[in-house]
Amino acid sequence: MRLMLARHGETPSNLRHALDSRPPGPSLTEMGHRQASALAERLAGDEVVAVYASIAIRAQETAAPVAKQHGLAVDVVEGLHELQVGDLEGRSDEHALRSFGEVYTRWTQGDLAAAMPGGESGEQIRERYLSTIERIRESHPSGLVVVVSHGGIIRLGAEWLADNVGAQVTNAALLPNTGHVLLEPRPAGWHCLEWTGVDL
């Protein structure tokens, strides 16, 4: 079994560099829909056995072409949505982006008690995300499982899950729209095989 954590396609908020975390959120742009179709084409030759998406519209719209390519339905589940930024929601100003980055860096360095202003703590995010991934893992012993969600939580999740992803990778290796992290299970957890075309 392999697990692909894929980021959604482009949204209007991405173009404005705005912090947009609250579900259900916006739809994809025209470019975002093309990116979703291209993701489906890239995975056409893989043995995709399940496609999951967060409760955000943009994740579901990105997952839909992948699922259709393999005759599957998109399984929308709680727990995969983006980290909630609280008081920073919708903002794109320098102060908001700096505040976000400071808290995010604390999480990658292990300070999970830190929280976004009016938003989630690292502990809350870790609990909901990892428990959801574990349920998905238990449901699929083989094949490729595609989980479409969001850049911030995928990067954190990869660090928490994989034995070869640390804070340096999490902070440096940003995920483009429809970029992905590919994991495989190991006896003691997970191992990252690829980060959007870069083998680890």
Side-chain angles (χ1 to χ4, degrees), residues 68-69 97 106 112 142 167 170 173 182:
K68 183 178 180 181
Q69 179 79 46
L97 296 177
R106 289 173 66 183
L112 300 186
S142 62
T170 305
L182 184 63

Side-chain angles (χ1 to χ4, degrees), residues 15-16 19 22 35 41 45 54 58 78 95 105-106 112 120 129 169 199:
L15 294 175
R16 294 187 293 110
L19 296 168
R22 189 178 299 130
Q35 291 169 336
E41 291 173 9
S54 82
R58 57 192 181 276
E78 295 276 353
H95 176 73
T105 299
R106 289 173 66 183
L112 300 186
E120 285 184 298
Y129 186 78
V169 174
D199 295 335

Side-chain angles (χ1 to χ4, degrees), residues 59-81:
Q60 296 170 43
E61 290 180 341
T62 304
V66 178
K68 183 178 180 181
Q69 179 79 46
H70 296 274
L72 300 168
V74 176
D75 194 346
V76 178
V77 293
E78 295 276 353
L80 299 173
H81 52 282

Side-chain angles (χ1 to χ4, degrees), residues 38-100:
L39 176 62
E41 291 173 9
R42 292 202 306 270
L43 297 176
D46 287 274
E47 185 193 355
V48 176
V49 297
V51 179
Y52 291 84
S54 82
I55 56 177
I57 292 171
R58 57 192 181 276
Q60 296 170 43
E61 290 180 341
T62 304
V66 178
K68 183 178 180 181
Q69 179 79 46
H70 296 274
L72 300 168
V74 176
D75 194 346
V76 178
V77 293
E78 295 276 353
L80 299 173
H81 52 282
E82 184 62 292
L83 51 97
Q84 299 298 286
V85 299
D87 298 340
L88 305 179
E89 183 71 24
R91 292 174 57 182
S92 59
D93 57 281
E94 182 179 349
H95 176 73
L97 296 177
R98 184 170 60 250
S99 297
F100 172 89

Side-chain angles (χ1 to χ4, degrees), residues 110-188:
D111 181 9
L112 300 186
M116 290 290 169
E120 285 184 298
S121 70
E123 293 166 343
Q124 291 171 314
I125 298 165
R126 181 183 171 96
E127 170 59 29
R128 68 168 167 87
Y129 186 78
L130 295 191
S131 62
T132 303
I133 292 297
E134 182 58 28
R135 289 195 298 273
I136 291 172
R137 176 181 181 173
E138 291 173 349
S139 300
H140 305 285
S142 62
L144 177 63
V145 176
V146 179
V147 177
V148 181
S149 61
H150 310 270
I153 200 165
I154 290 173
R155 289 159 53 208
L156 280 174
E159 180 180 351
W160 293 334
L161 289 165
D163 59 8
N164 59 332
V165 174
Q168 183 175 4
V169 174
T170 305
N171 287 323
L174 299 178
L175 279 179
N177 291 113
T178 64
H180 67 269
V181 174
L182 184 63
L183 305 173
E184 71 173 8
R186 296 284 174 89

